């Protein structure tokens, strides 16, 4: 089990010293939070974590089902499709990824999901390309396609004429999945242009997708600044207070606390899962976010298809939450919901202005 409690992708931001004076002695347990819905009751959440884009197609369906169940039993919302797993599917806390082309989606996905994620494809990164492994998992007709085949995606659903008509699509998804909260996923690079139209569509939440190389210079500062900007834009709109989930290449409790302080409601743990998947030696290259996962699959690692392998994830999640809660208490508050940008500090005036962190001079 590996959890780096000191590493932080958002390393230019630091936790500020707690306020002086007496502290509250109220219950330190983190209360259950919830995702409010425009129509219908709120959906309760026990922790601020979600698994967003794990490469299910690289592992057997039975293994995928075991891992998905392990995640949902740990109260982690998990994005996957019925066709990604076998019949042993998790019963709750599942998010259905609804891409514009609807590859892989069945009516069962929509009718049973707790969340539906309308993924507007990114103009950068690999969010607009489907892998052959995915297509072959979803449709055996793809078996005849050569490995070099590239399947590109649309930016907007074909039945949405323009961004200002997105509300009709959101309402359609609410009709197809009346039990679910409807999210819309976007990249961080056109917030000023895209986010107002998305918020006008009245989704129940936004997923901010950072499909970025974590080794790139200043990537942490970009993630921090755009997360804070997205939260400010949401709270300045009629959709104030809706959920903001951030999918970013982070692995540490420090990053979790910092992103929650900047306005995120939940943070993805994809990298944490991928970097702790049991893999044979030698260790895969650290620059490949899916390396560990793919390596275990390709080599037929003896533990990759067992319940024991997936049960390695639960203690890591527990450790992540316990460490994060220690940082939260160190900031002088009891709950994640009480974190605010001013509880962070930095020495860069530009970063302080963009994030709302305290400037240390």
């Amino acid at each position: 089990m590996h959890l780096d409690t000191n590493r932080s992708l958002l390393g230019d931001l630091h936790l500020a010293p707690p306020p002086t004076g007496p502290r509250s002695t109220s219950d330190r347990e983190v209360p259950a939070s919830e995702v409010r819905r425009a129509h219908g009751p709120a959906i309760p959440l026990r922790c601020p974590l979600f698994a967003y884009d794990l490469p299910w197609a690289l592992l057997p369906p039975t293994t995928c089902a075991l891992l998905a169940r392990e995640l949902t039993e740990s109260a982690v919302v998990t994005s996957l499709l019925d066709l990604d797993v076998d019949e042993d599917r998790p019963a709750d806390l599942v998010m259905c990824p609804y891409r514009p082309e609807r590859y892989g989606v069945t009516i069962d996905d929509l009718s049973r999901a707790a969340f539906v994620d309308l993924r507007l494809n990114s103009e950068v990164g690999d969010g607009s390309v489907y892998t052959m492994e995915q297509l072959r998992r979803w449709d055996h007709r793809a078996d005849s396609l050569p490995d070099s085949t590239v399947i590109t995606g649309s930016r907007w659903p074909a039945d949405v004429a323009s961004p200002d008509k997105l509300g009709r699509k959101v309402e359609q998804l609410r009709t197809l999945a009346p039990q679910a909260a409807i999210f819309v996923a976007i990249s961080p690079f056109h917030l000023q242009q895209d986010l107002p139209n998305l918020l006008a569509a009245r989704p129940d939440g936004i997923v901010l997708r950072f499909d970025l190389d974590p080794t790139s210079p200043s990537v942490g500062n970009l993630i921090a600044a755009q997360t804070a900007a997205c939260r400010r834009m949401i709270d300045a709109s009629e959709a104030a207070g809706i959920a903001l989930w951030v999918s970013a290449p982070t692995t540490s409790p420090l990053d979790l606390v910092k992103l929650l302080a900047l306005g995120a409601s939940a943070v993805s743990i994809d990298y944490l899962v991928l970097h702790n998947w049991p893999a044979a030696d030698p260790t895969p290259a650290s620059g490949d976010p899916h390396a560990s996962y793919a390596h275990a699959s390709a080599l037929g690692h003896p533990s990759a298809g067992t319940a024991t392998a997936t049960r390695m994830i639960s203690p890591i999640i527990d450790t992540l939450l316990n460490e994060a809660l220690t940082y939260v208490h160190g900031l002088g508050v009891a709950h994640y919901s009480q974190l605010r940008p001013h509880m962070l500090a930095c020495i860069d005036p530009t970063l302080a202005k963009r994030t709302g962190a305290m400037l240390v001079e």
Side-chain angles (χ1 to χ4, degrees):
M1 181 178 72
H2 173 71
L3 178 66
D4 189 340
T5 58
N6 296 312
R7 177 190 174 276
S8 175
L9 185 66
L10 281 64
D12 289 347
L13 287 173
H14 305 274
L15 303 184
T20 58
R23 298 190 189 183
S24 170
T25 58
S26 62
D27 186 5
R28 292 288 188 175
E29 291 297 319
V30 179
S33 60
E34 60 184 20
V35 174
R36 292 181 296 163
R37 300 168 60 205
H39 304 286
I43 298 176
L45 293 178
R46 299 204 309 273
C47 77
L49 303 175
F50 68 107
Y52 189 64
D53 204 18
L54 296 177
W56 302 106
L58 295 178
L59 289 175
T62 301
T63 305
C64 294
L66 289 169
L67 177 57
R69 174 163 286 99
E70 176 71 0
L71 290 169
T72 57
E73 286 177 356
S74 297
V76 176
V77 174
T78 303
S79 179
L80 80 163
L81 298 172
D82 273 4
L83 293 176
D84 288 325
V85 300
D86 62 7
E87 68 279 359
D88 192 24
R89 179 186 186 276
D92 57 5
L93 290 182
V94 169
M95 172 178 269
C96 169
Y98 185 96
R99 299 169 175 86
E101 304 79 16
R102 298 191 290 275
Y103 285 153
V105 177
T106 68
I107 191 62
D108 286 341
D109 288 304
L110 294 169
S111 64
R112 296 190 296 197
F115 304 88
V116 175
D117 170 31
L118 175 56
R119 295 191 179 186
L120 302 183
N121 287 324
S122 173
E123 294 178 354
V124 298
D126 58 5
S128 62
V129 179
Y130 296 88
T131 68
M132 289 307 300
E133 289 87 358
Q134 285 175 312
L135 295 178
R136 287 167 179 158
R137 174 64 58 88
W138 298 334
D139 189 345
H140 291 301
R141 292 174 295 180
D143 290 344
S144 61
L145 296 175
D147 290 338
S148 58
T149 303
V150 176
I151 308 295
T152 59
S154 305
R155 177 158 168 71
W156 294 92
D159 52 355
V160 176
S162 60
D164 61 317
K165 301 294 192 298
L166 188 66
R168 297 178 183 175
K169 189 66 181 181
V170 171
E171 288 306 315
Q172 179 195 60
L173 292 175
R174 283 201 173 101
T175 301
L176 293 171
Q179 79 291 344
I182 309 300
F183 279 60
V184 178
I186 60 171
S187 77
F189 297 103
H190 301 285
L191 284 182
Q192 298 295 331
Q193 172 186 338
D194 288 349
L195 192 57
N197 285 322
L198 269 56
L199 295 176
R202 302 307 299 269
D204 301 310
I206 298 291
V207 177
L208 190 58
R209 292 172 44 194
F210 292 95
D211 300 323
L212 303 172
D213 179 357
T215 63
S216 298
S218 301
V219 67
N221 290 351
L222 172 65
I223 291 171
Q226 294 296 77
T227 297
C230 191
R231 172 49 73 188
R232 285 195 298 267
M233 292 178 67
I234 289 173
D235 289 347
S237 73
E238 294 183 358
I242 69 168
L244 171 61
W245 292 9
V246 174
S247 176
T250 58
T251 61
S252 74
L254 275 171
D255 285 334
L256 172 60
V257 172
K258 292 174 185 179
L259 287 170
L260 293 173
L262 292 169
S265 311
V267 178
S268 66
I269 59 168
D270 291 30
Y271 270 59
L272 190 68
V273 174
L274 294 169
H275 286 225
N276 284 280
W277 189 258
D281 293 330
T283 303
S286 59
D288 181 358
H290 293 168
S292 222
Y293 209 103
H295 195 54
S297 175
L299 295 183
H301 191 274
S303 65
T306 67
T308 302
T310 60
R311 289 291 169 182
M312 294 178 66
I313 303 301
S314 180
I316 297 170
I317 293 170
D318 290 343
T319 301
L320 172 69
L321 291 171
N322 288 335
E323 291 281 350
L325 195 54
T326 299
Y327 290 126
V328 170
H329 293 167
L331 290 168
V333 296
H335 308 134
Y336 296 119
S337 60
Q338 296 171 291
L339 295 171
R340 296 293 182 271
H342 69 264
M343 297 176 182
L344 305 177
C346 67
I347 61 173
D348 182 345
T350 301
L351 184 61
K353 181 177 181 180
R354 295 182 69 186
T355 62
M358 177 177 65
L359 178 62
V360 179
E361 299 180 297

